[in-house]
């Protein structure tokens, strides 16, 4: 089925959506993005993604061409036009098109595009087995809190991890895990405490991360926001990642070392269940 995508106010069959070669998203990775999960034709965590979009654009001085209300309507319309039941919506805003120059153009017209990807998000065979990760040096830029499309290094890191036989990379800087290639990294200590890195420019401020911490608090699961080493993670009782489309996904091996008993951990699975229950109930 041909998808209908959104480009600067137009609804187009995907093959007809064209962006200029002078777009700064293309030339400078001067663009930000968001990924929002869709289940049952409804948006999960929309408010969180919209707020982070606002923050990323403000950090880069890019102006979103639509009001918050109009942007939500475009999300709803793209679900309708593609009869999307389950999957994700990808949104990207670049600064716009201009002759190639390192200085930003004056008053550019941003390029706003959205497309859908249908996929099963609730049913994930990796939940039963967990994923394996390999530690790779974190060589990304210093503003990882801004969700830019500058994703070459995460892509390289994932390829390096996969070449080692792992499913994904955990990025390591100054001896501590920052995050996964496209997800937040967490562990559960042997005394049942959830540990996740605190917010800074070193990591993306995960929307799923924030929700999981709030769910942990309500469920009486103690947590600490601090950095942890790969060694601490390998010796932890459980490990997991969070992201918009993975929700809470167990990690059962790190650099070939089994985490806990090698099976998805009970607290991880409980957090996944609580997360899905709450987010489906709140979906819009
Ligand atoms: N990635 N850290 C990084 C580097 C990410 O790219 C992502 C999300 C996350 C998790 O953020 P959230 O819980 O808000 O999805 C953490 C998206 C899904 C992607 O690039 O496809």
């Amino acid at each position: 089925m041909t998808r209908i995508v959104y480009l600067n106010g137009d609804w187009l069959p995907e093959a007809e959506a064209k962006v200029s070669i002078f777009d700064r998203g293309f030339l400078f990775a001067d663009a930000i993005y968001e990924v929002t999960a869709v289940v049952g034709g409804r948006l999960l965590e929309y408010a969180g993604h919209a707020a982070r979009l606002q923050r990323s654009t403000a950090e880069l001085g890019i102006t979103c061409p639509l009001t918050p209300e109009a942007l939500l309507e475009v999300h709803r319309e793209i679900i309708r036009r593609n009869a999307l039941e389950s999957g994700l919506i990808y949104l990207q805003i670049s600064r716009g098109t201009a002759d190639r120059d390192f200085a930003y153009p004056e008053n550019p017209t941003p390029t706003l595009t959205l497309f859908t990807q249908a996929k099963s998000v609730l049913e994930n065979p990796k939940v039963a087995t967990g994923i394996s990760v390999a530690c790779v040096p974190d060589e990304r830029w210093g503003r990882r809190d801004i969700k830019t499309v500058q994703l070459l290094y995460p892509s390289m890191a994932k390829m390096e991890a996969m070449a080692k036989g792992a499913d994904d990379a955990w990025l390591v800087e100054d001896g501590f895990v920052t995050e996964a290639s496209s997800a937040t990294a967490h562990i559960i200590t042997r005394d049942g405490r959830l540990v996740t890195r605190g917010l800074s420019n070193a990591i993306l401020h995960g929307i799923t991360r924030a929700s999981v911490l709030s769910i942990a608090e309500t469920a009486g699961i103690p947590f600490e926001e601090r950095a942890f080493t790969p060694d601490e993670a390998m010796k932890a009782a459980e490990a997991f990642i969070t992201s918009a489309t993975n929700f809470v996904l167990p990690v059962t091996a790190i650099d070939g070392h089994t985490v806990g008993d090698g099976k998805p951990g009970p607290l991880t699975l409980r957090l996944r269940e609580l997360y899905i229950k709450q987010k489906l109930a709140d979906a819009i």
Side-chain angles (χ1 to χ4, degrees), residues 134-145 150-158 160 164 169-183 185 197 200-204 230:
C135 293
V136 172
D138 194 341
E139 293 177 4
R140 296 174 299 164
W141 78 325
R143 290 303 306 274
R144 302 157 192 161
D145 57 309
Q150 193 182 239
L151 295 174
L152 181 56
Y153 188 75
S155 195
M156 288 166 69
K158 181 153 190 161
E160 191 177 327
K164 291 180 181 161
W170 269 18
L171 304 172
V172 178
E173 186 172 60
D174 299 330
F176 292 94
V177 175
T178 49
E179 53 190 332
S181 66
S182 60
R197 196 173 170 117
S200 71
N201 292 353
I203 62 167
L204 183 73

Side-chain angles (χ1 to χ4, degrees), residues 110-140:
T111 306
L112 171 61
T113 177
L114 283 86
F115 60 79
T116 54
Q117 266 177 220
K119 74 172 200 176
S120 160
V121 283
L122 277 184
E123 304 304 322
N124 180 347
K126 293 285 185 189
V127 176
T129 57
I131 61 163
S132 58
V133 298
C135 293
V136 172
D138 194 341
E139 293 177 4
R140 296 174 299 164

Side-chain angles (χ1 to χ4, degrees), residues 33 35 52 140 147 179 181-184 204 206-208 243-244:
Y33 76 107
V35 173
R52 188 172 59 193
R140 296 174 299 164
K147 199 164 170 62
E179 53 190 332
S181 66
S182 60
T184 311
L204 183 73
I207 303 306
T208 323
S243 75

Side-chain angles (χ1 to χ4, degrees), residues 21-236:
I21 62 162
F22 296 104
D23 193 275
R24 286 182 58 93
F26 181 61
L27 296 178
F28 290 96
D30 188 357
I32 58 94
Y33 76 107
E34 277 299 329
V35 173
T36 306
V38 173
V39 176
R42 293 191 301 159
L43 298 154
L44 268 61
E45 302 255 36
Y46 183 77
H49 291 287
R52 188 172 59 193
L53 175 71
Q54 173 56 40
R55 180 180 183 276
S56 293
T57 49
E59 286 293 319
L60 296 182
I62 294 175
T63 314
C64 179
L66 296 181
T67 62
E69 297 73 29
L71 195 63
L72 172 57
E73 197 36 53
V74 168
H75 279 79
R76 293 211 157 113
E77 183 67 17
I78 204 165
I79 291 175
R80 273 196 294 273
R81 286 186 185 246
N82 293 281
L84 183 68
E85 262 301 301
S86 169
L88 62 89
I89 296 176
Y90 176 92
L91 169 154
Q92 179 172 321
I93 308 180
S94 82
R95 191 178 306 277
T97 297
D99 245 358
R100 186 174 182 277
D101 188 339
F102 281 74
Y104 297 165
E106 269 176 47
N107 303 317
T109 305
T111 306
L112 171 61
T113 177
L114 283 86
F115 60 79
T116 54
Q117 266 177 220
K119 74 172 200 176
S120 160
V121 283
L122 277 184
E123 304 304 322
N124 180 347
K126 293 285 185 189
V127 176
T129 57
I131 61 163
S132 58
V133 298
C135 293
V136 172
D138 194 341
E139 293 177 4
R140 296 174 299 164
W141 78 325
R143 290 303 306 274
R144 302 157 192 161
D145 57 309
I146 309 173
K147 199 164 170 62
T148 72
V149 300
Q150 193 182 239
L151 295 174
L152 181 56
Y153 188 75
S155 195
M156 288 166 69
K158 181 153 190 161
M159 292 306 288
E160 191 177 327
M162 286 169 68
K164 291 180 181 161
D167 295 304
D168 197 5
W170 269 18
L171 304 172
V172 178
E173 186 172 60
D174 299 330
F176 292 94
V177 175
T178 49
E179 53 190 332
S181 66
S182 60
T184 311
H186 314 258
I187 58 171
I188 299 207
T189 61
R190 291 192 177 264
D191 60 354
R193 301 176 78 78
L194 193 172
V195 179
T196 196
R197 196 173 170 117
L199 297 181
S200 71
N201 292 353
I203 62 167
L204 183 73
H205 301 185
I207 303 306
T208 323
R209 171 194 181 281
S211 290
V212 163
L213 291 187
S214 136
I215 287 167
E217 184 148 45
T218 309
I221 300 167
F223 65 86
E224 289 168 31
E225 292 181 80
R226 62 164 174 84
F228 55 85
T229 64
D231 189 54
E232 183 179 7
M234 284 172 213
K235 292 174 182 153

